[in-house]
Amino acid sequence: MKIAVIGTGYVGMVTAVCLADLGHTVIGTDVVPEKIDKASRGISHIYESGLEELLKKNLKRGNLSFLHDLDETIRSSEVLFVSVNTPQREDGSADMVYVEGVSRRIAENLNSYKVVVEKSTVPVKTSLWIKRTIDLHKKSDVEFDVASNPEFLREGTAVSDFLHPDRIVIGVESERARDVLVEIYKKFKDRLLVTNIDTAELIKHASNSFLALKISYINLISELCEKTDADVELVAQGMGMDPRIGDQFLRAGIGYGGSCFPKDIRALAKIGEDLGVSFDLLKEADKINLKRIDIFVDKIKNALWILKDKVIAVLGLSFKPETDDIREAPSIKVIQRLLEEGATVRLYDPKAMENLKQVFPEKTPQVHYAKSPYDAVEKANALLLITEWDEFKEMDLKKIKGLMANPIFMDGRNIFEPAQMRELGFDYYSIGRK
Ligand code: UDX
Ligand code: UDX
């Protein structure tokens, strides 16, 4: 099967490399030439555990390549996975301008039957627009099909998620397209769910919004815990022991970020609104998530009173551990608020510093990029832990305390035990527990 992956970002890179690893012949293409140049040399432009090894392995094997030329890539492939970005517009809906652009290019290069697969998260009914666009612009009578195959990859474990999936959803409207996609994923045939396209498109938005709801729910419960003697970690444990609820995605904290949840929950609310179904439920979850930052910043103010001229160490900048991705990372909003209040920030992250420098350039006044957690906390009046990297769990806490001006520790992800932290002499604040 000759497959093209159009748009080799976080999703596309993993998809291209893993499809090649399954034994298919894959070409990856992207509008950013640097990404293609690097990938061709076996270097991934994103950090994702295990990705670069598989990239090198499959380049060497000869069934994976990267091409600048989109037209040529389309013409020489039978299946086209479209994984360009679908950013959020001002009204919350997904901006489909790149998907439309790629659809037109597919139409212009339709030299043989092709299956166009939506890999990006798209609103339900997008397939009709893709089909219409290709029909409008195609220059021949060659047939094609549109299909949906949403990704459920979590950044940080995306390679393993791809190669060990819980489910593979395939949305199709013809036997021919169905056979093609079932063949691509034949290794996982016991985990295939074949539906119509609208259903597949909706499964993705419905899943992500549900997970975001779950997080906002436990975060709201954590607020209640802070006003009582309840402990949110134990509440979550108690809830999670019920298999109907499940123990995953019940970690209270500073809120969810990333390129999916914040955007998808708004997109689904907008889809509902457009179709006359009120989704205030999702809007409320979004509000709860945004409020997490206010609550966290208020806690810092309650500990330090005035933030002006205070030195604040921020550990963890990526939106979650094991990725360099900072899209919608809570760290950005917190840092912005600290800078507005006149604080100096000392920042550290194992992988995301280079990306954060695009948001807060190195020369920004009062912004300092540290070399290690220990460097970050030097003379700090407070330490904020925003992302739960393992490196932070393993820090020498005595050393950390010794380096700080004031041992104020704000744990935005509940990675330490309150009693232990207090014993070490920290003024320790966490989420939803005392
Ligand atoms: C993915 C999904 O595709 C998106 O729908 C989902 O909601 C978030 O996750 P992701 O891979 O994370 O997107 O986005 P990004 O890293 O921005 O990758 C998109 C890639 O497409 C970029 O490399 C971009 O350069 C490329 N692109 C964009 C094209 O090649 N052509 C275009 O016309 C537009
Ligand atoms: C998500 C979905 O999980 C994946 O299936 C989808 O295809 C893409 O979007 P991702 O955004 O990479 O994946 O990360 P995920 O692990 O879902 O975490 C998203 C955010 O939620 C992170 O900011 C994380 O810190 C936060 N989170 C997660 C919590 O605050 N509490 C939890 O219990 C779980």
Side-chain angles (χ1 to χ4, degrees):
M1 203 75 73
K2 285 185 174 169
I3 300 176
V5 175
I6 303 172
T8 53
Y10 279 87
V11 170
M13 262 313 270
V14 174
T15 303
V17 169
C18 292
L19 284 173
D21 207 57
L22 291 181
H24 304 297
T25 302
V26 181
I27 307 175
T29 184
D30 198 286
V31 277
V32 179
E34 209 194 345
K35 294 184 185 178
I36 295 305
D37 292 339
K38 276 189 164 174
S40 305
R41 287 184 280 122
I43 303 164
S44 167
H45 69 93
I46 53 159
Y47 171 72
E48 187 62 55
S49 176
L51 182 62
E52 222 166 68
E53 290 87 321
L54 282 193
L55 168 66
K56 288 190 169 79
K57 176 183 145 193
N58 287 287
L59 283 171
K60 205 166 154 200
R61 226 170 34 159
N63 59 326
L64 175 63
S65 59
F66 292 87
L67 264 188
H68 293 282
D69 190 338
L70 175 59
D71 299 329
E72 178 52 30
T73 305
I74 294 169
R75 295 177 74 79
S76 54
S77 306
E78 304 161 76
V79 188
L80 311 168
F81 280 83
V82 181
S83 50
V84 295
N85 39 335
T86 50
Q88 184 187 307
R89 285 155 52 104
E90 237 167 61
D91 64 359
S93 62
D95 193 339
M96 303 306 290
V97 66
Y98 303 127
V99 174
E100 194 268 352
V102 167
S103 306
R104 269 188 285 132
R105 292 286 284 277
I106 293 173
E108 286 158 15
N109 292 285
L110 200 66
N111 57 340
S112 59
Y113 171 76
K114 295 181 199 298
V115 184
V116 181
V117 187
E118 303 166 348
K119 196 69 181 158
S120 307
T121 308
V122 296
V124 55
K125 293 258 167 246
T126 294
S127 70
L128 293 183
W129 284 107
I130 296 179
K131 200 165 180 330
R132 182 172 159 75
T133 304
I134 299 177
D135 276 329
L136 270 178
H137 297 276
K138 70 177 188 179
K139 294 174 184 140
S140 62
D141 285 336
V142 174
E143 285 183 22
F144 67 96
D145 271 306
V146 179
S148 165
N149 170 224
E151 54 84 15
F152 300 104
L153 311 173
R154 290 162 304 169
E155 285 178 34
T157 52
V159 171
S160 148
D161 287 349
F162 194 104
L163 297 173
H164 308 280
D166 324 310
R167 84 286 212 192
I168 289 174
V169 174
I170 290 173
V172 281
E173 255 139 38
S174 81
E175 284 290 313
R176 200 172 176 188
R178 179 187 193 279
D179 291 348
V180 167
L181 280 156
V182 168
E183 173 64 23
I184 289 178
Y185 289 114
K186 66 171 183 262
K187 189 172 172 206
F188 310 117
K189 59 177 183 296
D190 55 332
R191 264 151 288 170
L192 287 185
L193 176 67
V194 181
T195 68
N196 67 19
I197 303 184
D198 282 6
T199 305
E201 289 170 340
L202 197 54
I203 286 173
K204 175 61 198 261
H205 264 138
S207 302
N208 272 2
S209 297
F210 187 76
L211 292 171
L213 266 181
K214 207 173 170 189
I215 298 170
S216 277
Y217 183 77
I218 197 68
N219 279 332
L220 197 58
I221 296 291
S222 82
E223 281 188 52
L224 204 53
C225 291
E226 289 182 5
K227 311 240 185 258
T228 62
D229 279 335
D231 178 324
V232 76
E233 293 295 319
L234 293 173
V235 173
Q237 194 184 335
M239 288 169 64
M241 286 163 88
D242 181 337
R244 292 172 304 175
I245 298 175
D247 60 1
Q248 294 194 47
F249 280 69
L250 279 181
R251 274 182 287 113
I254 193 166
Y256 57 76
S259 67
C260 291
F261 290 177
K263 182 169 73 98
D264 290 354
I265 204 165
R266 289 171 202 149
L268 184 55
K270 183 72 173 66
I271 292 166
E273 207 172 283
D274 290 348
L275 296 174
V277 182
S278 163
F279 263 112
D280 288 349
L281 177 70
L282 298 184
K283 289 185 184 163
E284 197 53 38
D286 189 17
K287 267 195 233 157
I288 294 167
N289 195 54
L290 293 171
K291 205 174 135 203
R292 299 310 294 159
I293 305 292
D294 298 331
I295 292 175
F296 195 68
V297 173
D298 283 348
K299 278 189 188 168
I300 308 167
K301 286 187 182 167
N302 282 337
L304 284 172
W305 189 18
I306 301 295
L307 301 186
K308 188 169 182 328
D309 299 333
K310 296 292 186 321
V311 177
I312 302 189
V314 181
L315 300 188
L317 307 170
S318 55
F319 82 97
K320 62 181 275 192
E322 296 302 324
T323 177
D324 60 354
D325 194 349
I326 57 158
R327 289 177 290 179
E328 297 273 343
S331 66
I332 298 176
K333 293 196 188 98
V334 172
I335 294 165
Q336 258 154 0
R337 296 281 291 275
L338 298 177
L339 293 175
E340 278 161 24
E341 298 272 349
T344 290
V345 291
R346 295 177 64 82
L347 314 175
Y348 176 74
D349 187 279
K351 295 284 179 202
M353 307 248 273
E354 286 314 306
N355 283 341
L356 203 79
K357 287 177 189 169
Q358 312 292 318
V359 184
F360 303 105
E362 266 179 294
K363 291 204 175 95
T364 311
Q366 293 173 287
V367 173
H368 175 82
Y369 286 91
K371 292 180 195 67
S372 68
Y374 305 105
D375 181 22
V377 301
E378 190 128 16
K379 296 197 175 65
N381 298 105
L383 180 170
L384 316 182
L385 193 140
I386 311 273
T387 317
E388 67 279 30
W389 284 91
D390 283 345
E391 184 176 342
F392 304 145
K393 295 179 186 162
E394 288 151 15
M395 289 186 305
D396 178 343
L397 292 169
K398 278 194 186 139
K399 187 171 165 187
I400 292 281
K401 182 172 169 278
L403 289 165
M404 294 177 74
N406 306 108
I408 296 176
F409 196 122
M410 301 271 166
D411 182 353
R413 299 288 183 181
N414 286 359
I415 67 172
F416 295 108
E417 282 308 315
Q420 230 167 345
M421 294 301 276
R422 279 180 201 125
E423 204 166 300
L424 283 166
F426 284 104
D427 191 3
Y428 178 75
Y429 300 78
S430 59
I431 308 284
R433 37 176 213 173
K434 302 226 166 58

